[in-house]
Amino acid sequence: MAQKRASILRAAKECFLNVGYEGASMESIAAGANVSIMTLYRHADSKDDLFEAVISAACEHKVDVGPESALIKRPLRELLLQVADLFQERLSNAETLALLRAVMIENQRFPKLAEAAYEGFIEAWKNNLEALFSHRVEFADISVNDRKKMLSEFIDGLIGADILRLLLGGKGLSGAEKGRRAEAATDTLVAKIS
């Protein structure tokens, strides 16, 4: 069952990337996954559901965030820089950009897709950071709401106008420029909790 679901998601992603949301059909996705249309409908009620699942899968980044996690034991600045690098790389990779372009094309007719993409690509990162840093001693005396605000501002500091350039097919920031942005967002957050 899990293999079939993975096959369906791969076929749906490929279809959305190749022909866009509008051009994709449940029939073409079923054919790409080598399953019957009935099997496809057992796994997803609609094309919207499949698109949301593709977005969710593209955003998935499972990490052990428990108090005994190796990540938790790393120095705060080092951990923040690693998160910043990973986030920037995920947001600017070719597949993510292609999915975001598909969402933008269909936004007027299917605003729910845009919300799902934002939730998956941005809010999910903020929620994961909240879970990760809720175990850090540096945040022990900071209220949950303040911690969420700080971590949200950290993620916001990693996104610049260059994302628009990337979405339009232009060149993004260099590795060094991304590194400077990661350091600036990290230093701002560390200063707030010090």
Side-chain angles (χ1 to χ4, degrees):
M1 194 73 152
Q3 283 181 327
K4 198 166 282 199
R5 174 87 175 151
S7 177
I8 289 169
L9 288 179
R10 274 192 305 276
K13 178 173 67 175
E14 186 175 309
C15 197
F16 291 133
L17 292 177
N18 289 334
V19 298
Y21 180 86
E22 177 65 20
S25 68
M26 293 297 271
E27 291 78 11
S28 62
I29 293 168
N34 201 24
V35 298
S36 72
I37 194 73
M38 294 301 290
T39 298
L40 178 62
Y41 276 109
R42 278 190 223 112
H43 288 271
D45 290 335
S46 67
K47 190 165 65 167
D48 286 3
D49 290 342
L50 279 174
F51 193 81
E52 286 181 38
V54 166
I55 294 292
S56 293
C59 300
E60 220 169 73
H61 45 277
K62 298 203 184 280
V63 291
D64 177 13
V65 297
E68 298 304 314
S69 165
L71 283 176
I72 295 299
K73 296 175 182 178
R74 295 181 74 186
L76 179 62
R77 189 169 197 290
E78 182 182 313
L79 178 57
L80 286 167
L81 287 170
Q82 181 183 1
V83 167
D85 289 343
L86 184 59
F87 174 76
Q88 289 182 94
E89 183 57 38
R90 279 283 181 113
L91 192 60
S92 65
N93 79 40
E95 188 175 283
T96 299
L97 292 169
L99 287 170
L100 288 172
R101 286 183 195 112
V103 169
M104 291 170 66
I105 289 168
E106 301 301 333
N107 185 43
Q108 291 297 318
R109 292 183 315 126
F110 302 102
K112 181 181 171 191
L113 296 177
E115 188 60 34
Y118 183 81
E119 288 294 320
F121 287 113
I122 306 299
E123 289 300 319
W125 275 87
K126 292 178 181 182
N127 293 336
N128 287 341
L129 280 182
E130 164 57 24
L132 177 64
F133 288 103
S134 68
H135 300 289
R136 292 292 300 219
V137 67
E138 297 91 344
F139 288 91
D141 295 330
I142 298 173
S143 74
V144 171
N145 286 338
D146 286 345
R147 183 174 62 235
K148 284 181 179 182
K149 183 177 181 209
M150 288 175 175
L151 294 170
S152 180
E153 289 169 354
F154 172 72
I155 289 293
D156 292 347
L158 298 172
I159 304 170
D162 58 292
I163 191 68
L164 181 57
R165 187 178 324 119
L166 286 168
L167 286 168
L168 294 171
K171 187 174 179 175
L173 296 180
S174 70
E177 291 168 319
K178 286 180 183 178
R180 285 191 289 277
R181 180 181 284 166
E183 286 185 18
T186 296
D187 292 343
T188 299
L189 179 56
V190 169
K192 287 181 181 180
I193 61 174
S194 296

